[in-house]
Amino acid sequence: MTGTAQPTGRCYCGCGKQIGYGRYFAAGHDKTAEAAFLAIHHGGTVAQMLHAHGYGPDDTKSVTKTAVEKGLWEECPFGCGYRGARESIVNHVNRYHREK
């Protein structure tokens, strides 16, 4: 397959359900499709999927570190090691680093 996936008006999990404009999945069906894909291609585990793409548990092969290096995610400005999308960083800082 080439190109970018485009919404078609039908759920991308393959169930055939008609969905709203601009959507790819019926409610909850993204997780169903993800689980099926993992089962087919990676023995049902995220760890096997990460391993297949060269990621692993140490920092030199970290998928979260790579996301930060590519500018897609950020690291906690307080240096605690948390990494996530910008919105996740804001929530993390508010929850764990606010002045008490």
Side-chain angles (χ1 to χ4, degrees), residues 63-64 67-75 83-86 89:
V63 69
T64 59
V68 170
E69 289 169 349
K70 289 181 176 268
L72 304 169
W73 276 17
E74 300 175 10
E75 288 194 7
R83 298 171 179 144
R86 184 189 159 313
I89 294 293

Side-chain angles (χ1 to χ4, degrees), residues 1-36:
M1 294 191 131
T2 59
T4 303
Q6 298 296 319
T8 64
R10 294 203 179 269
C11 183
Y12 248 68
C13 84
C15 70
K17 185 172 184 176
Q18 292 204 5
I19 54 175
Y21 177 76
R23 296 179 59 204
Y24 292 92
F25 295 99
H29 289 212
D30 56 332
K31 292 299 180 184
T32 301
E34 181 180 44

